[in-house]
Amino acid sequence: MSDRQQIAAKVLELVEPFNKKGVAVTEATRFAQDLEWDSLTVLDFVANIEDEFDVIISMNMQAEIETVGQLIDALQRLTAGK
């Protein structure tokens, strides 16, 4: 399994408790529109992601990440040097 696949699997696992609508989550799933997350949910989710991957996701980076796939790509870049 590639690093990206491992990251994707973990991200999907971490999304699940926040997926109150039962949306089928793919890399194209949008956090705000499809999952209907509010800002508090996003903060909780980002905290979980940061803890799990031992990274910091800046506010600027958060603003640019709209889909699950974009988050996976960002995490791959952030964890590449570890």
Side-chain angles (χ1 to χ4, degrees):
M1 184 181 283
S2 74
D3 286 348
R4 192 174 195 291
Q5 288 172 315
Q6 290 175 329
I7 291 169
K10 193 60 178 174
V11 166
L12 292 177
E13 182 182 316
L14 292 170
V15 165
E16 200 50 45
F18 296 96
N19 187 1
K20 304 296 186 211
K21 302 279 183 197
V23 173
V25 180
T26 68
E27 288 199 22
T29 301
R30 297 167 300 172
F31 296 107
Q33 295 88 343
D34 300 327
L35 296 173
E36 298 180 18
W37 288 1
D38 59 21
S39 57
L40 187 58
T41 302
V42 170
L43 287 176
D44 287 346
F45 177 70
V46 169
N48 286 354
I49 289 287
E50 289 177 333
D51 289 347
E52 181 65 37
F53 289 95
D54 192 27
V55 297
I56 300 292
I57 300 175
S58 70
M59 294 302 281
N60 288 343
M61 190 179 286
Q62 286 180 41
E64 294 173 5
I65 296 172
E66 295 181 9
T67 68
V68 171
Q70 289 172 336
L71 175 60
I72 293 165
D73 291 339
L75 287 169
Q76 191 172 20
R77 287 191 304 273
L78 288 169
T79 59
K82 293 189 177 204

